[in-house]
């Protein structure tokens, strides 16, 4: 006789933020602890992402932004960067093939032009074909840096000024937001960083001005839906004042 593993019941009565962002950190240490090459950690990390994206959809999250590769991660060995890029390609190929099953809308934040033509093409197809899904939107941050994003927004505004479309003193926060990779996406209410580091590492600098942060020592490959629930519970217990005095 077989017993199916009992699924933990999710308390669907609790509020879920609209937008959660995650720094998927700790893959390398996860692998090292097991005497494996760093790449092995990235592979299991990709699986953790798949599980979390599906779970996010099941609890009604609208936006999930994940930091997959930063503008600084090019500093790593060629071997590691190549392995990450290969994994990303494979992940996207599979995501495109399984699209109708998973029904996740894809979006990419970052300068994709530095990625291989194959990866760029897969990203384009993933965005194009998933436009029709109304559930969760996954914003994949690839070759993404918060400062790089702000510089690009400033350059775009400066160009508009030179062309006479607007004047410097007319610039508002909303106008700069519209020039970010995240244009049209509400700011994240909750930013989660697994992996034990207590820093942003250049993630969503503009957008997380009033985000709540949740740090955990759990390494990303070990991050489960239960961990996400813990972060949401922590978020729900906080008093967000936005500078006010409630
Ligand atoms: C995050 O895990 C993945 C990327 C940055 C691409 P790391 O590779 O940074 O893992 P640690 O922090 O070295 O453990
Ligand atoms: C942040 O992690 C980037 C991603 C998870 C993609 P890092 O591992 O690059 O950050 P640092 O080097 O510890 O600050
Ligand atoms: Mg790291």
């Amino acid at each position: 006789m077989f017993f199916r593993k009992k699924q933990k019941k999710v308390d669907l009565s609790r509020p879920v933020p609209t937008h959660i962002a995650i720094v998927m950190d700790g893959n390398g240490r996860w692998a090292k602890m097991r005497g494996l090459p760093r790449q092995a950690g990235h592979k299991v990390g990709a699986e953790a992402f798949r599980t979390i994206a599906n779970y996010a959809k099941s609890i009604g999250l609208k936006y999930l932004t994940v930091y997959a590769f930063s503008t600084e991660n090019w500093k790593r060995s060629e071997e590691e960067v190549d392995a990450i890029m290969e994994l990303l390609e494979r992940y996207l190929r599979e995501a495109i093939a399984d699209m109708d099953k998973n029904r996740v809308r894809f979006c990419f934040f970052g300068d994709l032009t530095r990625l291989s033509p194959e990866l760029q093409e897969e990203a384009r197809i993933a965005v194009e074909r998933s436009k029709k899904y109304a559930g969760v939107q996954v914003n994949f941050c690839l070759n993404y840096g918060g400062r790089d994003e702000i510089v690009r927004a400033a350059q775009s505004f400066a160009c508009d000024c030179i062309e006479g479309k607007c004047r410097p003193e007319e610039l508002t926060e909303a106008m700069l937001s519209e020039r970010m990779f995240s244009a049209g996406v509400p700011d994240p209410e909750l930013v989660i960083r697994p992996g034990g580091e207590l820093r942003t590492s250049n993630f969503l600098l503009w957008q997380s001005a009033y985000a709540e942060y949740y740090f955990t020592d759990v390494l990303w490959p070990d991050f489960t839906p239960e961990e996400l629930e813990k972060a949401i519970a922590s978020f729900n217990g906080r008093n967000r004042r936005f500078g006010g005095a409630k």
Side-chain angles (χ1 to χ4, degrees), residues 22-27 29 38 66-70 72-73 76 141 144 193 197 199-203:
I22 306 180
V23 180
M24 302 191 291
D25 192 32
N27 296 349
R29 278 162 287 163
R38 293 178 61 83
V66 288
Y67 207 5
F69 195 86
S70 76
E72 287 74 35
N73 287 148
R76 298 187 179 197
C141 298
Y144 172 90
R193 181 160 189 162
E197 310 293 2
R199 51 180 174 256
T200 70
S201 300
N202 207 7
F203 187 45

Side-chain angles (χ1 to χ4, degrees), residues 71-138:
T71 45
E72 287 74 35
N73 287 148
W74 298 105
K75 290 177 195 162
R76 298 187 179 197
S77 72
E78 201 180 320
E79 191 193 357
E80 182 173 353
V81 171
D82 286 351
I84 292 172
M85 293 300 154
E86 241 171 66
L87 263 175
L88 283 167
E89 265 189 52
R90 190 187 317 161
Y91 171 79
L92 280 181
R93 265 201 309 275
E94 288 170 6
I96 291 166
D98 292 344
M99 204 155 254
D100 280 329
K101 194 174 88 202
N102 294 326
R103 305 181 74 78
V104 165
R105 199 162 68 252
F106 279 94
C107 188
F108 291 84
F109 294 176
D111 175 16
L112 301 193
T113 62
R114 198 169 160 189
L115 307 177
S116 73
E118 292 79 16
L119 200 44
Q120 288 183 52
E121 179 59 7
E122 275 166 10
R124 194 192 59 75
I125 294 172
V127 171
E128 191 54 40
R129 295 201 189 153
S130 67
K131 264 188 190 143
K132 54 182 185 256
Y133 304 129
V136 66
Q137 172 170 317
V138 169

Side-chain angles (χ1 to χ4, degrees), residues 8-55:
K8 253 202 184 147
K9 270 248 160 52
V10 178
D11 171 17
L12 291 168
S13 62
R14 83 267 179 268
V16 172
T18 302
H19 183 178
I20 294 178
I22 306 180
V23 180
M24 302 191 291
D25 192 32
N27 296 349
R29 278 162 287 163
W30 184 94
K32 198 175 165 200
M33 279 165 59
R34 289 163 178 77
L36 299 169
R38 293 178 61 83
Q39 286 80 310
H42 297 312
K43 197 158 174 238
V44 181
E47 286 310 317
F49 166 70
R50 228 190 283 259
T51 305
I52 292 297
N54 280 324
Y55 185 74

Side-chain angles (χ1 to χ4, degrees), residues 143-162:
N143 189 25
Y144 172 90
R147 286 188 166 189
D148 177 64
E149 180 180 39
I150 293 168
V151 167
R152 284 163 192 276
Q155 286 170 340
S156 137
F157 179 71
C159 286
D160 282 355
C161 287
I162 289 170

